[in-house]
Amino acid sequence: MSDLKCREALKAPESAWKLLFYLTAWSYSAYLLFFTEYNFFHDPASCFYDWNVNNKVPKQIYIAYVTQFSFYIHSIYATLYVDVWRKDSIVMLVHHIVTSLLIGFSYTFKYTNVGMLVLFLHDCTDIVLEMTKLTVYYKTKGGRWKTIGDFLSTVGFICFGMT
């Protein structure tokens, strides 16, 4: 059993789950942007080449979109009914609603190429954020963990600020 304080013991699994999701989603986005024909990262202007609202969304991008959209719909529900209520829960709820709308509208109007770039960059910062939150939670264990947690959470804060 973990020696985390009660509140941190409730919040740590949420952050661990989100970290796992963001790592997976970001890895899939990186795969699409760097190892397939969707090289929008190296040539952002190519997002708009031959754009048409009637274009069909490629299956690989569709999978990324459905996964991300589903996650943010789940996040709305989880923030309201499952997660530990925090000071910033209202802000997070608004963030999840706006993100869901942006994903939905960019899919509807076939701006999925630009959307893949945004999701890639957005997930990158979320990975750093969730990792930093976990290190802050583990600082409460005290002893050696406090020193390690202090250092890693400071590094995470700096990295999050840079991303």
Side-chain angles (χ1 to χ4, degrees):
M1 174 104 184
S2 144
D3 292 332
L4 293 177
K5 291 182 180 174
C6 184
R7 188 140 174 90
E8 281 74 17
L10 292 172
K11 293 190 285 186
E14 293 173 21
S15 287
W17 152 245
K18 290 175 187 175
L19 176 62
L20 178 65
F21 173 79
Y22 292 132
L23 274 170
T24 305
W26 181 82
S27 297
Y28 186 66
S29 296
Y31 163 74
L32 290 179
L33 292 172
F34 296 104
F35 301 106
T36 65
E37 70 266 22
Y38 313 114
N39 60 347
F40 314 125
F41 189 81
H42 297 295
D43 183 16
S46 69
C47 289
F48 302 102
Y49 297 166
D50 300 321
W51 175 85
N52 186 326
V53 75
N54 296 318
N55 285 349
K56 185 169 167 57
V57 176
K59 186 173 184 170
Q60 291 175 308
I61 292 178
Y62 171 80
I63 290 169
Y65 258 72
V66 167
T67 304
Q68 292 273 5
F69 187 73
S70 300
F71 176 78
Y72 282 101
I73 294 299
H74 158 77
S75 294
I76 293 168
Y77 172 81
T79 301
L80 287 171
Y81 302 111
V82 179
D83 294 349
V84 175
W85 194 257
R86 298 173 173 84
K87 291 182 271 185
D88 67 343
S89 289
I90 296 293
V91 174
M92 288 309 300
L93 189 60
V94 171
H95 165 74
H96 295 319
I97 291 169
V98 169
T99 303
S100 298
L101 288 171
L102 288 171
I103 291 171
F105 283 127
S106 70
Y107 181 81
T108 300
F109 295 109
K110 306 301 190 273
Y111 283 105
T112 53
N113 298 347
V114 174
M116 285 307 303
L117 286 174
V118 172
L119 290 171
F120 173 76
L121 297 171
H122 184 267
D123 289 342
C124 185
T125 59
D126 284 334
I127 290 168
V128 175
L129 176 65
E130 294 304 331
M131 201 175 297
T132 303
K133 285 164 75 173
L134 281 171
T135 60
V136 168
Y137 300 152
Y138 276 91
K139 281 186 347 183
T140 64
K141 286 182 80 162
R144 184 174 61 118
W145 286 105
K146 180 169 180 12
T147 307
I148 294 169
D150 261 344
F151 175 75
L152 291 176
S153 60
T154 301
V155 170
F157 175 76
I158 292 167
C159 290
F160 182 74
M162 292 176 6
T163 57

